[in-house]
Amino acid sequence: KPDYDRLCFLRWLAMAAVGGGYMADVDVFPLWPVGHEKGYKAISDGKFNVHCGARGGEVPCLMSGAAANWHRMAFSILEDGIQHKDKDVKLWSDMLALQDVMANGGGTAVEVSNTVIQGYHVVKWLKSQKNGFDAGTCGQGDAKTSVHFSHSITDQLKDVDEKGVHYRHEMRPKLAKEWLSEWAKSCIDESSPFKDFLLSQRPTDDIISSLKEI
């Protein structure tokens, strides 16, 4: 999807143009309300921050930085993409460009922190917890700011009759609502309005039962 991948590169420039801040994929959701001590931190003028993945496996699903840092990273990512456009590669995404920049000396002023729960944990948690998330599961989320319901989740979802993979993609937003409502019910303080909001988003159909049959 060349248009999609082109936009993924352009979003870096957009963040530089608007003065920096946080940028998240549309399938990344906060675990804590704004202002919470475990939530997103204020932007500093220091290093650029990649909040998904680890060094060598950076994922641009949640990033933050001041305008100057976004400007520097945006042009590094775009230059890397241009260098690969005529090479014999099927796809060169902004994620691959980010990893390439990091591996070739561009990561010295970049902080990489694994503060996002990745997709493979999402289905695992739902399938293993029969009565909501237990204290151990909530504890794993204490050090995280967000959860990423990535495309890879669809590979873990059950095919249903003739709909096949298309059904799995349709399940992803419903799964996100279910996971977030389970998180709110089990892990967020009773007095928080954020808890009520997340619980109000619970889907009506039973996704959890179908997951536990896999």
Side-chain angles (χ1 to χ4, degrees):
K1 298 180 180 179
D3 288 340
Y4 172 83
D5 290 312
R6 187 179 301 110
L7 290 172
C8 285
F9 278 94
L10 290 177
R11 62 182 179 163
W12 293 76
L13 287 175
M15 287 302 300
V18 300
Y22 275 87
M23 182 182 76
D25 280 352
V26 295
D27 50 9
V28 171
F29 294 85
L31 295 176
W32 311 101
V34 174
H36 195 283
E37 61 180 358
K38 298 176 183 177
Y40 301 150
K41 307 303 180 186
I43 301 296
S44 71
D45 292 330
K47 293 186 175 182
F48 185 81
N49 293 275
V50 179
H51 302 282
C52 285
R55 286 201 174 266
E58 300 87 359
V59 179
C61 75
L62 179 65
M63 299 175 290
S64 64
N69 290 323
W70 273 106
H71 186 275
R72 172 178 56 82
M73 289 299 295
F75 279 92
S76 295
I77 296 298
L78 289 169
E79 288 170 2
D80 188 88
I82 292 170
Q83 290 172 10
H84 286 84
K85 74 180 182 68
D86 295 324
K87 293 185 178 180
D88 188 22
V89 290
K90 184 177 181 180
L91 167 68
W92 196 255
S93 64
D94 70 323
M95 182 178 76
L96 294 176
L98 171 62
Q99 293 173 1
D100 197 44
V101 167
M102 295 288 289
N104 288 285
T108 55
V110 178
E111 187 76 29
V112 181
S113 56
N114 186 18
T115 61
V116 179
I117 299 170
Q118 294 299 326
Y120 52 85
H121 288 301
V122 169
V123 175
K124 177 183 176 182
W125 285 15
L126 285 176
K127 289 169 64 176
S128 64
Q129 306 291 321
K130 294 182 179 179
N131 299 303
F133 298 158
D134 59 24
T137 300
C138 291
Q140 291 179 54
D142 277 347
K144 306 294 185 181
T145 62
S146 316
V147 57
H148 185 200
F149 299 97
S150 61
H151 295 286
S152 64
I153 289 179
T154 60
D155 296 331
Q156 303 177 59
L157 300 181
K158 187 178 182 181
D159 281 342
V160 177
D161 53 58
E162 74 283 353
K163 292 183 178 180
V165 70
H166 298 295
Y167 180 80
R168 299 208 309 265
H169 281 289
E170 290 169 9
M171 284 181 71
R172 193 155 65 109
K174 297 175 183 177
L175 176 68
K177 288 184 177 182
E178 185 68 35
W179 194 98
L180 288 166
S181 64
E182 288 292 328
W183 169 262
K185 183 176 70 175
S186 303
C187 306
I188 294 183
D189 187 87
E190 291 290 338
S191 62
S192 173
F194 194 56
K195 181 186 187 85
D196 295 332
F197 169 75
L198 291 180
L199 287 174
S200 71
Q201 305 302 306
R202 180 185 290 273
T204 55
D205 45 350
D206 189 0
I207 290 196
I208 303 303
S209 295
S210 64
L211 286 175
K212 290 174 180 173
E213 293 172 4
I214 303 176

